[in-house]
Amino acid sequence: MIRAAAAAAALMLLAISPARAAAANVAGELGAVRQECIAAAGDVQLHEQAVAALEHGSILLEREADGRQRGLDESRVEQARLLGMIERVAREPPDRFGPGWFAGAAERPIDRIRGGLLLRTAVPVLRAEARALAGEIERVATLRGEIAAKRDALAAAREALATDREHLAQLVGRRLELTRRLMPEEPGSEAQSARLGHDARDVADLIKRADAAIDRRDKELVARARATLPKAAALSSEAADPTRPHELRAFDPPHSVLTMPVSGTVSLRFGATDGTAAKSQGLRLAALPGGEVVAAFDGRVVYAGRFGNLGLILIMRHGGLYHTLLGVGRVDVKVGQWILAGEPVGAVPDAVDTATGTLYVELRRDGRPVDPQTYMAVGDEGRDSEGENRKVRE
């Protein structure tokens, strides 16, 4: 009886081993695609930075050129008078000027002499003003040339950015396809997220509810995985969720550093006000509209959807205590999806009345907001930090 049971168990293991091998291959490809996504998102953000710098430079040049041109346009009368005086001096130099220079001076030699002295004094001033005018006209022409060059460079940078974005979109699609092959989406998951957003009182409550929903899902996954294995087989974490990266880290300040989620600059700091009485519970980052948004740290998506006046948001869990919240214009990940720092997760909302978009970022510890900038770096310096070997304990 014992031998027969062992033989049956062995046959079952042999029967499922091809499926395991296939899943392992898909998981390996998913890991490779993740790294490609991180690299491609970095390239996109570099080109976004170049586009933003060129746009800013062009605006400054155009403002300077327009200002100088307005000055020239407003001084047309003075320019005509100056050029007329210079032309008369050229025709009749001070040492040979005649009675027409000063009214009534032709009959009084002393007045002609005095006028000549005054004119000789005025000639250098006229010439200096003429040189200044010529220099201003030349500067405007130079600025127009620089603006044309900037526009050409901007067009090339935008073309390169479009190419990089297309490549990244293909990788993101491939990542989603592989993730679904390993872990098909739960029916009604989007409706569940909508209910969470509707029922939660505030962000802290939403995080609590979203974490609980993810934990329940994980328990169900483990139960289903165990049901498909023979009693003699051990259940590994990869068997329950093969999409989970091996190199996942837990956010562990001060040893951990957050990656800047977007190529941009801080426009509103934590605790500051933007004209309202309420203080900001996060950062606002100015960036290109539609700019690529990446995960600030390794973690897992626990919520994706609209919530109150924050609009469309993503919430990612980074270990047991910390969560990041991002206010995005587009979502490129699914609830339950594992994410590494630098992986693309969405896009900056489109701007309404300006050329600059805004990404809202919150960092929460145990549901309470803390200043993200304290832990944030421009690049992904955190990946080589002391927290490298710490594992997420979900």
Side-chain angles (χ1 to χ4, degrees):
M1 292 288 294
I2 296 176
R3 288 181 179 178
L11 288 173
M12 290 182 67
L13 285 172
L14 288 173
I16 62 174
S17 58
R20 284 190 179 180
N25 289 337
V26 175
E29 185 179 355
L30 176 60
V33 170
R34 276 196 177 107
Q35 295 303 320
E36 290 184 64
C37 283
I38 292 172
D43 290 340
V44 167
Q45 289 189 336
L46 284 175
H47 276 116
E48 288 172 350
Q49 186 176 359
V51 167
L54 287 168
E55 285 182 344
H56 182 66
S58 296
I59 290 172
L60 294 180
L61 288 174
E62 287 172 0
R63 286 177 180 173
E64 183 181 356
D66 291 344
R68 290 178 181 271
Q69 186 63 56
R70 279 196 301 272
L72 289 173
D73 293 341
E74 291 169 0
S75 63
R76 292 293 185 190
V77 175
E78 290 81 0
Q79 291 174 39
R81 186 179 296 117
L82 172 62
L83 293 174
M85 291 289 290
I86 292 172
E87 185 179 359
R88 291 186 68 186
V89 168
R91 288 199 312 265
E92 191 174 354
D95 56 346
R96 293 186 293 101
F97 57 107
W101 272 102
F102 297 97
E107 297 177 358
R108 299 182 57 189
I110 187 64
D111 289 339
R112 292 184 62 191
I113 293 171
R114 287 173 179 170
L117 292 174
L118 290 172
L119 189 58
R120 288 187 183 93
T121 304
V123 165
V125 176
L126 292 174
R127 288 173 177 168
E129 289 182 1
R131 285 194 297 269
L133 176 60
E136 191 69 6
I137 294 172
E138 183 180 358
R139 178 57 182 158
V140 170
T142 300
L143 286 171
R144 297 301 182 193
E146 292 177 3
I147 290 170
K150 285 275 188 185
R151 286 174 176 168
D152 290 342
L154 181 57
R158 283 175 172 161
E159 185 177 351
L161 175 58
T163 300
D164 281 351
R165 281 178 169 173
E166 183 178 355
H167 174 59
L168 180 58
Q170 293 172 354
L171 289 172
V172 168
R174 181 60 178 163
R175 181 185 63 180
L176 179 59
E177 177 189 347
L178 293 170
T179 301
R180 284 174 171 168
R181 283 173 61 183
L182 290 169
M183 293 286 293
E185 286 187 47
E186 295 287 331
S189 58
E190 292 186 3
Q192 183 185 39
S193 289
R195 285 195 302 271
L196 289 175
H198 179 269
D199 296 340
R201 298 185 304 274
D202 50 30
V203 172
D205 186 38
L206 177 60
I207 289 174
K208 190 174 182 180
R209 291 170 181 264
D211 277 349
I214 287 292
D215 292 341
R216 285 195 300 271
R217 183 196 298 189
D218 286 347
K219 289 179 180 178
E220 294 172 359
L221 288 174
V222 170
R224 286 201 296 268
R226 282 178 175 164
T228 62
L229 294 174
K231 294 182 179 179
L235 178 65
S236 64
S237 59
E238 290 78 9
D241 187 353
T243 66
R244 176 173 173 157
H246 296 289
E247 64 272 32
L248 208 67
R249 303 166 300 160
F251 187 60
D252 182 29
H255 308 294
S256 302
V257 181
L258 296 175
T259 296
M260 188 78 161
V262 73
S263 177
T265 57
V266 177
S267 60
L268 183 69
R269 297 183 181 276
F270 178 84
T273 58
D274 57 354
T276 63
K279 293 183 178 181
S280 175
Q281 295 186 324
L283 298 176
R284 292 196 180 275
L285 305 177
L288 280 181
E292 196 62 39
V293 179
V294 302
F297 204 80
D298 301 352
R300 196 177 190 189
V301 180
V302 297
Y303 182 80
R306 298 195 172 275
F307 184 70
N309 59 359
L310 292 177
L312 184 61
I313 64 171
L314 273 174
I315 299 178
M316 284 169 282
R317 180 166 67 185
H318 311 289
L321 290 177
Y322 289 90
H323 296 75
T324 54
L325 180 152
L326 303 174
V328 296
R330 187 189 73 235
V331 174
D332 292 335
V333 288
K334 298 293 184 181
V335 172
Q337 188 171 335
W338 299 95
I339 295 295
L340 296 178
E343 271 196 79
V345 296
V348 175
D350 289 332
V352 179
D353 298 321
T354 66
T356 304
T358 301
L359 178 74
Y360 180 65
V361 183
E362 281 189 15
L363 175 66
R364 293 202 170 224
R365 184 184 187 278
D366 200 20
R368 293 185 293 274
V370 294
D371 187 359
Q373 203 169 0
T374 305
Y375 311 103
M376 190 170 287
V378 173
D380 191 10
E381 291 90 343
R383 183 153 292 282
D384 295 324
S385 69
E386 189 177 323
E388 176 67 32
N389 295 323
R390 288 181 170 86
K391 302 298 181 182
V392 173
R393 296 177 177 85
E394 291 291 335

